[in-house]
Amino acid sequence: MPRKPTRRRRSLIARPLTFAPFSRSLAHLHSTFMPKHQMLGSKVPGSPSHNEVVKKTSKEKIEQSESSEEEEFGGEVQADFAFFDPKPDDFHGVKILLQSYLDNTEWDLSGFVDLILEQTTVGTVVKIEDDEDNGLFSVVSALNLGRYKDHKCIADLKEYLLRLCLEKSIKGDLRVLLGEQAHNVGLLVSRRVVNLPPQLLPPLYDALFDEISWATEDEPTEELRNSFCFNSYVLVSKMYKHKNADKKNQLSSDSEEAIIYVNPEDEIFHKLSLWSFNFPFHAEQVTARELKNYRPMGLVMAVEADKISTFREQLHSLIDEP
């Protein structure tokens, strides 16, 4: 069934962002992973079939200030990003992005990637248009925890989260979401390279939540339509937590944050969450001087579906603010 057209089409204009000192630090720390893009051609959903590329908007110039150390590429790099439905050829790229999704635990990651790629009606991967290397820059999806409960990867994930949740009151709520309410719970999966242009985030999440809404009407069977009627979302992410975050008056209000969010949208999700918990994260060790007082932590959040409209509005305000 053809995908419905988007409710609106908008140009992505890059502006200086002021997430907070932590975001700028993370962007600097990871700037060597890929060139900073000074020309952005972003895509928003159009009306092709599920297996066709989503139509693009016009390119917009990104003005970025770079230190002399960062100017490795001299001049401009043109990147025409596109949103695509997941397909089997994306397996290795998605697996790389999700390599540390559950820290360094052994689990059925390959099976998890397969679920994401098989669900083409809801989910997006971001690539560069006509890139011969077919490299992936981002993946987002939402998997029904009840629908896939018999898959080993989902069983592994549930066991992992329950094991790491040490707060008794939250653990009871988590067990309910992963168990008796699982058929109405979406696991919101979002991973990307660290310096993907933030201007892509609002249309990327808009596309995801629009697809979820359309799936409740357009899927061919009632069972499939109901599988996208989410009441809640569970998110597994990562952050950096200051070693003195739990001690009063131990942080410098001018230069230190208690929490550094790897993804700016996670701060919005965190504030809107019904509950959350964090745990030590071992797959990555802090080596950067700017993060010497911080520890990498896993972050698990539960967000009610009726908060998503607020999330979308706040994400647009954060990224699009003048």
Side-chain angles (χ1 to χ4, degrees), residues 39-313:
M39 185 72 76
L40 172 63
S42 56
K43 309 292 181 72
V44 295
S47 55
S49 67
H50 287 306
N51 295 320
E52 293 177 352
V53 63
V54 182
K55 300 300 181 182
K56 65 180 180 180
T57 62
S58 61
K59 297 175 183 176
E60 299 290 347
K61 183 74 172 292
I62 295 181
E63 299 292 343
Q64 295 180 327
S65 68
E66 310 243 358
S67 67
S68 58
E69 292 83 6
E70 291 174 321
E71 291 179 344
E72 302 175 31
F73 300 94
E76 295 182 350
V77 176
Q78 182 169 314
D80 194 15
F81 288 97
F83 291 178
F84 294 88
D85 293 325
K87 63 180 188 299
D89 289 349
D90 298 323
F91 179 86
H92 293 293
V94 172
K95 189 173 183 179
I96 288 172
L97 289 175
L98 294 172
Q99 196 65 50
S100 62
Y101 185 70
L102 296 189
D103 199 5
N104 57 5
T105 192
E106 292 186 11
W107 69 300
D108 186 17
L109 175 58
S110 293
F112 190 62
V113 174
D114 285 338
L115 290 186
I116 291 172
L117 299 182
E118 290 167 3
Q119 183 175 279
T120 58
T121 55
V122 171
T124 300
V125 295
V126 177
K127 305 178 187 179
I128 292 179
E129 182 77 62
D130 300 324
D131 180 15
E132 294 181 358
D133 293 334
N134 202 36
L136 256 67
F137 291 80
S138 178
V139 58
V140 294
S141 190
L143 302 175
N144 184 296
L145 289 176
R147 176 182 176 184
Y148 298 116
K149 64 182 177 63
D150 295 327
H151 290 255
K152 184 178 185 304
C153 60
I154 298 301
D156 289 345
L157 180 139
K158 291 179 179 180
E159 180 184 353
Y160 173 83
L161 296 180
L162 288 169
R163 184 175 73 249
L164 289 174
C165 182
L166 302 180
E167 301 178 43
K168 291 183 178 180
S169 59
I170 293 179
K171 191 166 187 174
D173 292 336
L174 174 64
R175 195 181 298 278
V176 170
L177 284 185
L178 301 181
E180 61 191 72
Q181 294 181 4
H183 283 283
N184 295 115
V185 178
L187 178 69
L188 202 163
V189 182
S190 178
R191 284 293 187 275
R192 61 182 180 270
V193 296
V194 74
N195 57 344
L196 186 78
Q199 289 77 13
L200 292 177
L201 297 181
L204 191 58
Y205 278 100
D206 283 346
L208 175 68
F209 291 118
D210 283 347
E211 286 180 332
I212 291 171
S213 178
W214 300 334
T216 64
E217 302 173 1
D218 299 343
E219 287 293 312
T221 68
E222 182 178 4
E223 182 180 6
L224 283 175
R225 292 192 292 272
N226 289 340
S227 72
F228 291 102
C229 294
F230 299 126
N231 292 333
S232 304
Y233 293 94
V234 171
L235 298 88
V236 181
S237 190
K238 191 179 73 172
M239 66 182 187
Y240 294 94
K241 188 173 183 180
H242 196 281
K243 62 183 181 181
N244 294 327
D246 298 324
K247 300 178 182 178
K248 294 182 178 180
N249 303 320
Q250 293 295 310
L251 297 176
S252 169
S253 59
D254 294 330
S255 61
E256 292 184 319
E257 302 280 345
I259 295 175
I260 293 177
Y261 295 91
V262 174
N263 300 322
E265 70 270 24
D266 284 346
E267 183 171 8
I268 302 174
F269 277 130
H270 203 181
K271 290 177 180 178
L272 295 174
S273 65
L274 184 62
W275 50 258
S276 66
F277 68 91
N278 53 71
F279 55 89
F281 195 87
H282 305 288
E284 178 182 327
Q285 298 301 315
V286 173
T287 57
R289 179 176 56 83
E290 294 89 341
L291 294 175
K292 65 180 181 180
N293 292 324
Y294 290 84
R295 297 173 295 172
M297 304 288 289
L299 173 63
V300 178
M301 300 174 279
V303 178
E304 294 172 305
D306 61 9
K307 301 292 186 182
I308 294 303
S309 60
T310 301
F311 164 78
R312 292 171 67 167
E313 292 172 2

Side-chain angles (χ1 to χ4, degrees), residues 8-13 42 44 57 199 202-203 206 316 320:
R8 61 179 179 172
R9 192 177 184 86
R10 62 186 297 275
S11 175
L12 302 179
I13 301 175
S42 56
V44 295
T57 62
Q199 289 77 13
D206 283 346
H316 275 279
D320 301 339

